[in-house]
Amino acid sequence: MNDYIIETNGLTKKYGSTYVVNQVDLKVKKGEIYGFLGPNGAGKTTTIRMVLGLARPTKGSIHIFGKDMKKDKLSVLKKVGSLVEYPSYYGHLTAYENLEAVRILLDAPKSRIDEVLSIVRLTNDAKRPVKGFSLGMKQRLGIATALLGNPELLILDEPTNGLDPSGIIEIRELIKSMPKEHGITILVSSHLLSEMEQMATQVGIISKGKMIFQDSISTLRQRSSSKIRIKVSDTEAVSKKLLSWGYKVGSNENYIFVENTSDREIAEIIRKLVNHQCSIYRVEEEKKSLEQIFLELTGGEASL
Amino acid sequence: MVRLLRTELLKLRKSSIWLLIFVSPFLSLLVGLGETTAGLPEEEYWLTTYQWMSFPHAALFLPLLTGVFSAFVCRYEHVGGGWKQLAALPVSRGKLYLAKLLVVCLLIFYTQILLVAGLFSVGQWKEFQVAFPWETVAIGAFSGWLACLPLIALQMLVSVSWSSFAAPMAVNVIFTLPNILILNSETYGPYYPWAQPFLAMMPHTETESFRALHISMETLFIVILGSLMLFLFAGFTYFIRKEI
């Protein structure tokens, strides 16, 4: 077929009369870290639950490793590790026993438990009941569980939720190392763009159930076109003068904006202004941050 | 399937709830010790004690335990988000549901064994001279277990669908308490599923044409098997379609 690890077509989920997920075509290529972004309640978790077979799509199809999830669910899930929303655990069992409970079902070798414990650095706490764990430790245990079956695809829903900064960095580094070291493909969701910027290679942005952007992170960055703003003594007069010279400039009370210009053109403008005795206070580059693009794309309702 | 059962047993063993299998046999043991067999012909000692012990056990505790155990094997899944994890693992939901059911059946089975052991101890303590009526008692305990299966199936359905621990317990108690009245009713008793464990455990003294267990074939097929099928079917369909 093709080389997509996850491919959904027209994936739709309707609760009552509201579309929680609407015609989403998710495409994740092998070896990518796919950042699935969107404000809270945009439909990320619902999409992920459908991809994992936890919820039934109202419409649309899901193919993982080129296999139809409707038909080959169990054989697909064998190669998928997941962590959805908050980590699942049995509080009365120790970390080791929690992993053992899942290991039996996956039929993985026993040695794998120690391996994943050391990957998430829980080896020293393995013998403690999980109910005494901090949220960060539970989250790490959740990731360990997801890794237990040596998955080819890892699906992590908000893996850094509720972690402290050092925990976030730790998980991020862990996620980043995975495709390189083990050839795993990762789908990771978040409502924080800044987080995705630092690890994702591909991004999909979902808002109100609809996929509004899906491409590489560098394409998203290119959208952050820059403009030059100039602060001068008399904004209005100067902007009229520039317009009369044939430069396409915009202005507000304080600044004059010049968009999509070359360095040469800027130099020319400055030289002319200086020759006309204008006082130039500042020449600055204003770059749209990814967050601003994200806000524009999602219609400003984002929580960042 | 074997792996699912092993996982379930691992989770169960580490919680303390399985210790409840001792409670009812122990209380019945006290009842057995407390009751006097004085004035009875010696050959009726065992069965009279058995009947005394079975009454609180089968009329009250056994139906309640089906609910407690079912609620509990679902409890730790509800609390820690275990359903989600299990459903995203390569195991079929039908088998998972079946494994949960089997674990509860097993616990009730052990409870029955312990009750028989309790009865035996009472007899030893009181130094009954006649032989232990193995057949009647074993068949009684087994029939009682059989009669619990529909209750387990229903309680499992309720426990899976409600994440609260109290709700399935309330259902359980609401249906179990009327037992005390219904058991005395010749008309309703044989058709009330919650009364079946008790009725099944009681040995029948009157001669009847055919009784494989301590249950009439009519009751076995219509009430026990009928309700078992109904509750199992409802439970499976619900769980397989459930959105987790």
Side-chain angles (χ1 to χ4, degrees):
Chain A
M1 254 172 71
N2 48 42
D3 53 353
Y4 289 124
I5 296 289
I6 304 178
E7 184 180 18
T8 72
N9 279 307
L11 192 62
T12 301
K13 181 77 193 180
K14 210 172 153 185
Y15 285 117
S17 60
T18 43
Y19 287 95
V20 181
V21 175
N22 196 353
Q23 297 285 336
V24 166
D25 299 335
L26 193 69
K27 302 213 176 339
V28 181
K29 280 186 233 140
K30 190 169 167 54
E32 298 277 4
I33 298 179
Y34 185 102
F36 194 32
L37 270 166
N40 292 327
K44 296 185 301 277
T45 300
T46 310
T47 306
I48 286 179
R49 281 169 59 220
M50 285 192 283
V51 167
L52 284 169
L54 299 181
R56 208 177 291 267
T58 312
K59 267 209 306 265
S61 68
I62 304 163
H63 285 84
I64 301 182
F65 308 120
K67 286 181 185 167
D68 191 349
M69 265 307 264
K70 262 187 209 137
K71 289 179 210 137
D72 300 308
K73 190 172 122 183
L74 295 188
S75 72
V76 167
L77 288 179
K78 239 174 239 165
K79 296 189 279 179
V80 179
S82 64
L83 172 60
V84 182
E85 274 175 297
Y86 48 90
S88 301
Y89 61 92
Y90 303 107
H92 63 289
L93 303 184
T94 66
Y96 188 91
E97 287 160 349
N98 263 281
L99 291 167
E100 172 69 7
V102 174
R103 182 203 70 83
I104 295 173
L105 295 179
L106 289 168
D107 207 15
K110 257 203 156 111
S111 58
R112 185 70 189 147
I113 295 181
D114 293 317
E115 281 171 41
V116 294
L117 277 171
S118 77
I119 291 177
V120 299
R121 299 202 284 101
L122 277 177
T123 312
N124 294 334
D125 298 292
K127 296 278 182 276
R128 269 175 54 198
V130 174
K131 59 181 165 223
F133 276 24
S134 69
L135 181 60
M137 290 165 82
K138 284 177 188 161
Q139 203 86 27
R140 267 153 50 200
L141 178 65
I143 292 179
T145 314
L147 290 172
L148 204 52
N150 258 319
E152 288 171 34
L153 169 64
L154 200 56
I155 297 181
L156 304 171
D157 186 15
E158 308 259 357
T160 52
N161 235 358
L163 296 187
D164 56 16
S166 71
I168 291 178
I169 294 170
E170 211 174 282
I171 301 263
R172 189 198 300 147
E173 291 309 312
L174 190 65
I175 291 174
K176 274 163 83 175
S177 69
M178 234 124 347
K180 282 179 228 143
E181 288 169 25
H182 311 282
I184 302 175
T185 307
I186 298 177
L187 170 68
V188 53
S189 85
S190 176
H191 58 280
L192 297 165
L193 179 77
S194 50
E195 202 175 283
M196 286 298 117
E197 254 190 291
Q198 300 179 59
M199 55 183 173
T201 52
Q202 289 277 317
V203 264
I205 299 178
I206 188 171
S207 171
K208 292 174 185 154
K210 283 191 173 151
M211 190 72 105
I212 48 174
F213 177 89
Q214 179 167 237
D215 212 324
S216 68
I217 190 110
S218 50
T219 313
L220 186 65
R221 282 215 181 90
Q222 275 167 20
R223 287 213 184 182
S224 55
S225 59
S226 61
K227 52 185 173 186
I228 302 291
R229 61 178 186 191
I230 306 168
K231 193 171 165 97
V232 291
S233 50
D234 182 358
T235 313
E236 217 186 305
V238 171
S239 87
K240 272 185 188 151
K241 210 175 275 176
L242 283 171
L243 284 167
S244 70
W245 289 338
Y247 295 109
K248 284 179 191 152
V249 296
S251 66
N252 63 16
E253 291 152 35
N254 303 314
Y255 293 101
I256 293 172
F257 298 102
V258 191
E259 278 183 68
N260 302 320
T261 48
S262 61
D263 290 352
R264 207 174 49 84
E265 201 179 25
I266 291 292
E268 210 177 281
I269 290 173
I270 308 281
R271 199 180 325 117
K272 283 191 179 171
L273 288 179
V274 172
N275 288 341
H276 281 81
Q277 313 296 320
C278 298
S279 309
I280 300 171
Y281 302 144
R282 280 184 182 79
V283 179
E284 299 163 325
E285 186 178 31
E286 191 186 70
K287 212 172 167 128
K288 253 197 277 179
S289 73
L290 278 183
E291 308 222 326
Q292 275 168 310
I293 299 169
F294 183 56
L295 278 171
E296 273 169 29
L297 284 169
T298 57
E301 50 147 352
S303 48
L304 287 158
Chain B
M1 190 68 222
V2 178
R3 281 187 254 135
L4 269 166
L5 277 176
R6 272 174 59 201
T7 307
E8 286 306 316
L9 289 177
L10 169 76
K11 288 184 259 183
L12 186 69
R13 210 168 46 232
K14 297 289 170 172
S15 76
S16 44
I17 201 74
W18 65 272
L19 292 168
L20 278 178
I21 62 172
F22 292 105
V23 172
S24 178
F26 180 72
L27 289 174
S28 306
L29 179 93
L30 295 183
V31 171
L33 284 178
E35 284 305 324
T36 172
T37 41
L40 285 169
E42 200 169 10
E43 54 270 24
E44 282 177 27
Y45 278 8
W46 282 112
L47 284 185
T48 310
T49 316
Y50 170 71
Q51 282 176 1
W52 276 115
M53 286 176 69
S54 301
F55 183 73
H57 173 74
L60 208 59
F61 294 132
L62 213 45
L64 288 178
L65 280 178
T66 61
V68 176
F69 289 144
S70 307
F72 213 86
V73 294
C74 295
R75 170 88 182 148
Y76 40 67
E77 309 294 350
H78 285 307
V79 170
W83 291 123
K84 210 173 49 192
Q85 189 173 70
L86 288 168
L89 287 170
V91 293
S92 95
R93 288 204 195 176
K95 284 180 183 172
L96 170 63
Y97 192 74
L98 193 64
K100 293 261 175 213
L101 279 172
L102 285 177
V103 166
V104 179
C105 294
L106 193 70
L107 285 169
I108 297 289
F109 193 76
Y110 281 137
T111 310
Q112 293 294 75
I113 290 178
L114 285 171
L115 181 84
V116 175
L119 173 65
F120 193 72
S121 323
V122 171
Q124 294 299 307
W125 179 267
K126 292 187 173 175
E127 293 172 351
F128 291 169
Q129 297 303 316
V130 282
F132 187 71
W134 279 112
E135 210 185 314
T136 321
V137 171
I139 288 176
F142 184 73
S143 315
W145 177 74
L146 218 55
C148 280
L149 300 185
L151 307 188
I152 297 174
L154 174 72
Q155 285 301 325
M156 191 58 74
L157 167 61
V158 179
S159 304
V160 164
S161 41
W162 288 328
S163 54
S164 111
F165 191 69
M169 289 316 298
V171 171
N172 188 7
V173 171
I174 286 167
F175 284 115
T176 304
L177 286 185
N179 252 357
I180 296 158
L181 296 172
I182 290 172
L183 279 176
N184 292 315
S185 159
E186 295 257 331
T187 7
Y188 302 113
Y191 301 103
Y192 191 61
W194 284 263
Q196 297 313 311
F198 177 75
L199 295 175
M201 283 188 76
M202 283 302 113
H204 288 258
T205 40
E206 71 268 45
T207 48
E208 288 201 25
S209 52
F210 177 70
R211 277 179 185 277
L213 309 158
H214 293 167
I215 319 163
S216 74
M217 291 313 272
E218 212 172 59
T219 319
L220 178 67
F221 279 110
I222 298 172
V223 182
I224 298 184
L225 279 180
S227 52
L228 178 63
M229 285 302 136
L230 179 72
F231 296 148
L232 268 186
F233 178 75
F236 269 107
T237 335
Y238 171 77
F239 188 65
I240 287 166
R241 300 194 59 86
K242 185 178 158 82
E243 306 241 315
I244 295 173

